[in-house]
Amino acid sequence: MAATEPIDIIELGVGDAQAGLVLSTEAGWNQNEADWRFFLSQGVVFGMRDGARLVATAALLRYSAGNAWISMVLVTADFRRRGIATKLVDACLNVAAERGLTTWLDATPAGATVYGPLGFTPTLQLRRLRLTKPQGAGASRSLSAGHLDALAARDASAMGFDRSTLLSEFSARPGSRIVSDDRTVALVRDGRTARHIGPLLADRADQALALVDAIVRSETGPWLIDAVHSQEEFLSGLVASGWNIERPFQRMCFGPAAISPAQPPFAVAGPEFG
């Protein structure tokens, strides 16, 4: 097709999960088909097609208290630099405006240059880290099974709004588990290329680090974690124990933030989920 020929924005359905997975896999992201099915069934996902081929997406996932997350902003390589991502994000913002939602997203550095001019303002920062295998030969210790209600309550306190639907869906997936140790709790789940730890809630950095160490020694990696940058002791401890920082993310909000969360988590559910 001609490079200048317009493509219509369409709303996608659950049957588009595999096509969405092709896009996120091309980008090297960690989402699996279950993630796509959640977005397509619980959120609003816009896309563009070139014939039968899905070439771009953007998702709006509604949470409680008038908050929503924009994510899965993807454009296949040969359709980039045509303003498609901006158009799809605008479509998400229009739906959010119609429903009176405050929108959030976690942007890559390149994405932040797109979202800033649209009216998004920066809040906290994240760092994505990867671990192939734990350092040393320390023995793993037993972990207690955590409870969904406790995880959801602490997550709501940290985020400023409830995400129990998301956490319930995560915890019910094959391979997922909620683990706790002392005053810490975390969710562990499968991704396409690595196991993901988060959200992770704790009172202190040493508790959070001890829980991460116990998790990664209790099963085979590789691992991903999205740490909150302001939790400096936790982030430094991860790096010291062999985790490698892959990329930063900038959390951004469109319009005034109407929430006042308590202490932020040590690690989040992922940039696509907040």
Side-chain angles (χ1 to χ4, degrees):
M1 71 184 297
T4 57
E5 185 177 337
I7 310 176
D8 291 335
I9 295 175
I10 57 174
E11 188 171 341
L12 304 178
V14 176
D16 294 299
Q18 276 287 344
L21 183 61
V22 170
L23 280 177
S24 57
T25 299
E26 176 192 344
W29 293 3
N30 195 47
Q31 288 81 22
N32 55 26
E33 187 173 344
D35 293 325
W36 275 102
R37 289 187 177 278
F38 185 80
F39 277 108
L40 291 160
S41 63
Q42 300 295 319
V44 178
V45 184
F46 293 106
M48 290 185 178
R49 286 195 177 99
D50 177 29
R53 177 190 175 206
L54 184 65
V55 298
T57 59
L60 178 72
L61 184 61
R62 184 171 186 168
Y63 290 130
S64 66
N67 293 279
W69 223 262
I70 292 177
S71 60
M72 310 314 290
V73 182
L74 289 155
V75 182
T76 195
D78 54 330
F79 278 78
R80 293 173 189 161
R81 298 178 179 84
R82 302 188 194 182
I84 290 175
T86 298
K87 291 177 181 177
L88 289 170
V89 171
D90 279 341
C92 292
L93 289 174
N94 288 338
V95 172
E98 291 170 359
R99 300 179 183 181
L101 304 175
T102 298
T103 49
W104 302 78
L105 54 78
D106 289 330
T108 63
T113 65
V114 174
Y115 305 130
L118 295 178
F120 284 87
T121 56
T123 58
L124 60 78
Q125 293 186 23
L126 307 172
R127 294 294 183 270
R128 165 154 288 192
L129 299 96
R130 181 181 292 269
L131 179 71
T132 302
K133 59 181 180 179
Q135 289 184 344
S140 63
R141 63 180 186 276
S142 61
L143 286 167
S144 300
H147 298 286
L148 176 61
D149 289 347
L151 173 66
R154 293 196 71 172
D155 180 77
S157 178
M159 293 293 294
F161 51 87
D162 179 76
R163 299 190 300 174
S164 55
T165 299
L166 171 72
L167 299 176
S168 176
E169 200 276 344
F170 276 168
S171 65
R173 293 181 186 178
S176 293
R177 58 180 181 147
I178 299 171
V179 295
S180 64
D181 184 7
D182 193 16
R183 285 281 301 155
T184 64
V185 63
L187 189 143
V188 184
R189 60 185 174 90
D190 283 339
R192 184 182 63 85
T193 65
R195 295 275 279 166
H196 188 274
I197 302 171
L200 190 159
L201 296 309
D203 293 335
R204 304 192 313 267
D206 62 325
Q207 296 172 337
L209 288 167
L211 182 62
V212 170
D213 183 70
I215 291 169
V216 301
R217 293 184 187 280
S218 68
E219 55 178 287
T220 303
W223 297 93
L224 288 175
I225 193 168
D226 295 299
V228 174
H229 185 249
S230 61
Q231 301 283 18
E232 297 178 2
E233 183 181 348
F234 177 66
L235 185 59
S236 297
L238 291 175
V239 173
S241 62
W243 289 79
N244 295 308
I245 296 177
E246 285 196 337
R247 64 179 63 89
F249 289 97
Q250 176 66 64
R251 181 157 295 180
M252 308 180 82
C253 180
F254 187 84
I259 56 175
S260 299
Q263 177 185 351
F266 284 87
V268 303
E272 68 272 52
F273 295 107

